[in-house]
Amino acid sequence: MKKPSSALPWLALILLFALLMGVGMLAAKASRYKNSQADIAEYTPWPSKTVDTFSRILIQDGGRIKPVHTYARYALMQLRGTSTAGITDNAGTKHQLSAVAWLLDVLFRPEMARKMPVFTIDDTGVLTGIGLEPGGNKRDRYSYDFIVKGRALLAEKSAEYGRQKDEADRTKRADLELTSTQEQILLLSRKVSQFEFLTNQFTFARGAIDDPSNMLPKEMKDLAKKIKAEELIDKLPAMTREQLFSGIQAQRTANADENVISDSLGVLFFQANSGRGFAVFPPTEPSNEVWRSVGDVLLDALATKEQREDLFKSTAQIRGLVGAVDNADDFLAKLTGFEEWQRELTGKRALKEGTHSSLEVSLMRTAPFYWSLVLFVISFIAVALSWLSPSSGFGRITSLTGWILAILALGLNTYGIVLRCIIRSRPPITNLYDTIIVITAVAVLFALLAEKMTKQRIALAAGVLAGVAGMFLSLAFEAKDASDTMAPLQAVLNTNMWLATHVTTINIGYAGGMIAAFLAIFYLQIRFLVAVGLAEEDPQINRVLVRMVYGAVCFCLFFSFIGTILGGIWANYSWGRFWGWDPKENGALIICLWTMAILHSRLGGYLRDLGLSVASVFLAVIVTFSWWGVNELGVGLHSYGKTSGVMQALYLTWLVLGLYMAAAIPIWLKEKAAKKTKTQPPAPSIPSTPELA
């Protein structure tokens, strides 16, 4: 292998410094939230077998059947921003809770869960806005027991800001736009409501109503201690929900017994309504696809006398679990019994829900995309270190290490993609999250194949850098969105054939455009170091990079063109027209036109090496706009992937890409000066004068 240019050691140091800065910024961000103190005398962790069993319980949420492990993960991420919760009890013992263990506390030990600091607040103005005194840090985490002191004002403010936001959206008036603090108060209100929703799920089985905010009447809470929901329902005639509401709203009379009945119905409705949403009871009817929650079971039992005995078997299991909380062995036995009962019911159903739930739990536990990121980072460090001394034994060993780690990281990414396909019985790409992990895999694979042919360690570095960027983006997107990444498809996407052809092909084209930009950035960095006098020119490295950039642009055009044609055929099939100038369609068309312009300009001699690289970096601007930007426009038939914060990230990305394109200016000026020097005629020679004798 030819000895690499002296620009590579400089490039290695720059990239290692950038990586170090990135890790430092992430560490600094994580250290912002210092509060982990939970006002718990001594926390008792759940036995690992209990956590494992509970993680396999099935629940219907967001339109699909999933294991509790997945549900708990995203529930905690929505509140805390992470999938684990670290707490310190009053005994000074630190505990790291998994999302499943945390959800067990929320459902079965709510008084303990309320003391855990899981609410992330990034602006102390949110706390002062609801009448609370914040801690010492601007950004920190707080417990429900702390926030509940301002619960009434939080409800009032969130209602006011909600109306203001609706009015601003309706009238498009800039003066009605919410401030950042007001937006965060709205967000906190939603988080608090979600937490209360979870802690109150099994209120009917506790014999008392939990009301830390003291917003419910005392008479209602006293009456709840005397009422058992199932016994009350069993004494009542069949009653629709409308009849239940009428009974609750009946005017109070002098007859105390009638008033007690009305109040009891109010308690029953509160308990049933509090238990809505956590649907863990499979329907017994084969044709019914809707699972029941505790609240659904209670209201269905109220509506029909014939099914009460069967329905109460479901609530009896929850009562048994709530009653066994203080006995670990008894709780585990009842939880195992519930899991077996649930699996028996689903096994009899034609839909066979939860068939791949064990695979989903395995996917969540093994976290292949996280470990893929770790391996890509280490691989990148190894490759960068190999550039510092490329010809030595150290350089060869670190280069080989980078190769092996890159292949392992790509393997983990691919493993995760395959598992997601099996779990959903779908092609690889069904949503924006899927595009990230698939595009990353394709870009890395392209780079590794290019490295195999060129053997200059440049494509290897570009590939692992793309792997780092892609895997980090996947984790950041998941944390930001904090919602199920395997949610059911929207109706317009519910077709495996077109997902496997058009969607996959167009995203492979995106991957080609992105890897072309990564390689072009390496070319510009090396040429810039030469232009400013920090390194010597190496024509061999330049030629190899330009060839790889050109090949990646061809790759991008090929798949983008085919993907665009397939998209038009799908549009004609679904919407009755091949082309409608939709923003997403326009984005795909612009990619095709720009890549064709690059290739024709290159063939025509209008774009030389430097111009090709700058045009390829700009290709990344177009690809990211088509990939992410058009979803944020909120118009067109493809506006179903809008995500908050994406435009700000895009603007930053485009700024960085613009800086790289601007770096071509000094390179071009140096080239121009060099050409001018070469074209100048040599100075005429002055004949020598003979010496006088």
Side-chain angles (χ1 to χ4, degrees):
M1 184 181 72
K2 182 178 174 64
K3 183 178 178 180
S5 163
S6 58
L8 294 184
W10 277 106
L11 188 57
L13 291 174
I14 292 170
L15 294 175
L16 286 172
F17 177 75
L19 180 64
L20 183 63
M21 289 290 292
V23 172
M25 289 173 65
L26 290 176
K29 184 177 180 180
S31 65
R32 292 173 180 172
Y33 311 107
K34 298 180 179 179
N35 181 30
S36 66
Q37 187 63 46
D39 190 17
I40 301 170
E42 189 172 355
Y43 179 77
T44 304
W46 293 92
S48 58
K49 197 166 184 181
T50 299
V51 175
D52 182 60
T53 303
F54 187 58
S55 70
R56 297 194 301 268
I57 299 294
L58 298 177
I59 178 174
Q60 186 178 63
D61 174 67
R64 77 178 184 98
I65 309 300
K66 65 185 74 170
V68 159
H69 193 291
T70 301
Y71 179 89
R73 173 183 173 84
Y74 292 112
L76 182 57
M77 287 177 69
Q78 286 168 9
L79 301 183
R80 198 176 188 274
T82 62
S83 57
T84 59
I87 65 168
T88 305
D89 60 26
N90 290 341
T93 307
K94 295 184 177 181
H95 303 272
Q96 192 69 22
L97 277 62
S98 68
V100 177
W102 168 79
L103 186 60
L104 276 167
D105 283 327
V106 170
L107 294 173
F108 297 103
R109 301 192 298 201
E111 69 289 341
M112 194 175 291
R114 293 188 189 104
K115 300 178 185 298
M116 298 178 182
V118 295
F119 291 92
T120 299
I121 294 178
D122 291 319
D123 185 355
T124 51
V126 173
L127 296 177
T128 56
I130 58 173
L132 299 177
E133 187 65 33
N137 299 321
K138 180 178 181 180
R139 299 177 176 88
D140 221 329
R141 294 190 173 101
Y142 297 87
S143 68
Y144 176 84
D145 278 354
F146 176 81
I147 294 173
V148 77
K149 299 169 189 174
R151 185 68 178 93
L153 190 53
L154 176 62
E156 179 185 328
K157 292 279 189 181
S158 62
E160 176 190 343
Y161 297 150
R163 290 191 297 269
Q164 182 178 333
K165 184 177 178 64
D166 291 342
E167 184 67 13
D169 292 340
R170 187 181 65 83
T171 62
K172 308 299 182 184
R173 286 174 52 188
D175 60 309
L176 291 177
E177 293 290 335
L178 297 183
T179 65
S180 173
T181 301
Q182 291 171 336
E183 289 276 9
Q184 290 188 51
I185 287 176
L186 264 181
L187 178 61
L188 178 62
S189 178
R190 288 195 290 269
K191 289 181 178 181
V192 169
S193 296
Q194 173 68 7
F195 184 81
E196 291 171 339
F197 159 79
L198 289 172
T199 56
N200 290 328
Q201 277 295 308
F202 303 147
T203 293
F204 84 101
R206 295 195 179 97
I209 293 177
D210 295 321
D211 181 31
S213 59
N214 291 317
M215 297 177 72
L216 298 176
K218 182 178 182 301
E219 296 79 10
M220 183 180 184
K221 290 186 280 189
D222 291 340
L223 184 59
K225 297 176 183 178
K226 305 172 185 177
I227 292 177
K228 186 175 180 181
E230 296 93 330
E231 292 179 356
L232 175 61
I233 291 173
D234 214 27
K235 294 175 182 177
L236 293 170
M239 186 180 297
T240 65
R241 298 183 188 188
E242 291 73 18
Q243 291 171 326
L244 173 62
F245 297 150
S246 298
I248 294 170
Q249 295 168 358
Q251 291 185 354
R252 304 189 70 81
T253 67
N255 190 323
D257 291 339
E258 291 181 0
N259 293 335
V260 168
I261 292 175
S262 177
D263 292 342
S264 298
L265 291 176
V267 171
L268 175 62
F269 175 73
F270 178 84
Q271 292 177 338
N273 196 53
S274 298
R276 302 287 300 279
F278 195 75
V280 291
F281 301 118
T284 53
E285 307 86 355
S287 60
N288 188 1
E289 297 183 13
V290 180
W291 287 36
R292 292 184 176 99
S293 63
V294 164
D296 297 325
V297 169
L298 293 176
L299 292 175
D300 288 348
L302 181 64
T304 172
K305 292 181 72 73
E306 292 76 16
Q307 296 185 37
R308 286 179 181 177
E309 185 177 346
D310 289 336
L311 291 171
F312 289 159
K313 290 178 182 177
S314 302
T315 57
Q317 297 195 62
I318 300 299
R319 281 192 179 275
L321 286 167
V322 172
V325 165
D326 296 328
N327 186 322
D329 293 336
D330 191 22
F331 185 88
L332 176 58
K334 285 181 166 57
L335 188 62
T336 303
F338 181 82
E339 182 196 13
E340 292 171 352
W341 170 81
Q342 193 187 60
R343 296 286 178 174
E344 181 183 353
L345 281 181
T346 55
K348 294 177 181 177
R349 291 170 53 76
L351 296 175
K352 303 289 184 185
E353 298 103 329
T355 304
H356 300 303
S357 61
S358 58
L359 277 181
E360 187 167 345
V361 172
S362 175
L363 175 67
M364 295 295 172
R365 284 180 175 166
T366 54
F369 303 120
Y370 169 79
W371 291 110
S372 176
L373 171 62
V374 171
L375 291 180
F376 273 129
V377 169
I378 301 173
S379 173
F380 178 73
I381 293 172
V383 174
L385 289 176
S386 74
W387 286 351
L388 298 178
S389 181
S391 301
S392 66
F394 172 79
R396 287 189 291 271
I397 291 172
T398 49
S399 177
L400 178 61
T401 302
W403 254 108
I404 294 171
L405 291 175
I407 293 171
L408 290 175
L410 177 60
L412 279 175
N413 186 7
T414 306
Y415 167 75
I417 292 170
V418 170
L419 277 189
R420 288 171 63 86
C421 291
I422 295 171
I423 291 165
R424 298 174 296 176
S425 300
R426 291 289 187 184
I429 300 175
T430 63
N431 54 46
L432 273 174
Y433 178 81
D434 288 329
T435 65
I436 302 171
I437 54 179
V438 171
I439 286 173
T440 301
V442 173
V444 172
L445 179 60
F446 179 95
L448 292 182
L449 292 175
E451 177 61 30
K452 182 67 178 173
M453 291 184 285
T454 59
K455 303 183 187 302
Q456 294 288 341
R457 305 179 193 173
I458 301 290
L460 177 59
V464 294
L465 185 60
V468 170
M471 289 295 95
F472 175 77
L473 179 59
S474 73
L475 297 178
F477 178 82
E478 184 185 31
K480 177 72 175 176
D481 198 46
S483 61
D484 189 0
T485 60
M486 290 189 280
L489 291 171
Q490 298 192 33
V492 70
L493 297 175
N494 194 15
T495 163
N496 278 359
M497 187 190 80
W498 293 113
L499 287 172
T501 53
H502 160 65
V503 175
T504 302
T505 306
I506 204 77
N507 279 276
I508 292 175
Y510 288 169
M514 295 307 295
I515 197 64
F518 271 101
L519 292 166
I521 285 171
F522 271 62
Y523 175 87
L524 291 173
Q525 285 180 322
I526 291 173
R527 292 290 308 276
F528 181 80
L529 290 170
V530 173
V532 297
L534 292 176
E536 296 177 1
E537 192 81 56
D538 188 331
Q540 172 68 6
I541 289 288
N542 293 345
R543 280 194 298 271
V544 169
L545 270 169
V546 168
R547 287 172 57 198
M548 289 192 291
V549 170
Y550 184 83
V553 172
C554 293
F555 181 88
C556 175
L557 172 60
F558 178 78
F559 284 97
S560 296
F561 180 76
I562 293 176
T564 303
I565 297 299
L566 290 173
I569 298 172
W570 185 11
N572 186 64
Y573 176 80
S574 298
W575 299 321
R577 90 292 186 277
F578 181 85
W579 195 265
W581 299 106
D582 184 87
K584 197 77 169 179
E585 296 170 348
N586 295 341
L589 176 62
I590 293 171
I591 291 174
C592 293
L593 293 176
W594 184 248
T595 49
M596 284 191 287
I598 292 174
L599 298 180
H600 280 81
S601 298
R602 178 69 175 175
L603 290 172
Y606 299 104
L607 281 182
R608 303 190 66 80
D609 295 355
L610 183 61
L612 173 67
S613 298
V614 173
S616 298
V617 173
F618 188 72
L619 175 60
V621 175
I622 298 173
V623 168
T624 51
F625 175 75
S626 180
W627 180 9
W628 293 92
V630 297
N631 299 320
E632 303 303 306
L633 298 178
V635 295
L637 295 170
H638 293 82
S639 59
Y640 41 73
K642 193 169 184 177
T643 307
S644 64
V646 165
M647 286 311 299
Q648 292 88 331
L650 278 177
Y651 292 146
L652 179 60
T653 302
W654 294 338
L655 174 63
V656 172
L657 293 174
L659 291 175
Y660 274 112
M661 288 187 280
I665 295 174
I667 303 172
W668 176 74
L669 291 174
K670 185 174 180 180
E671 280 187 349
K672 187 177 180 182
K675 287 179 182 178
K676 187 176 180 181
T677 303
K678 286 182 180 179
T679 55
Q680 284 180 349
S685 57
I686 301 173
S688 57
T689 10
E691 292 183 3
L692 296 174

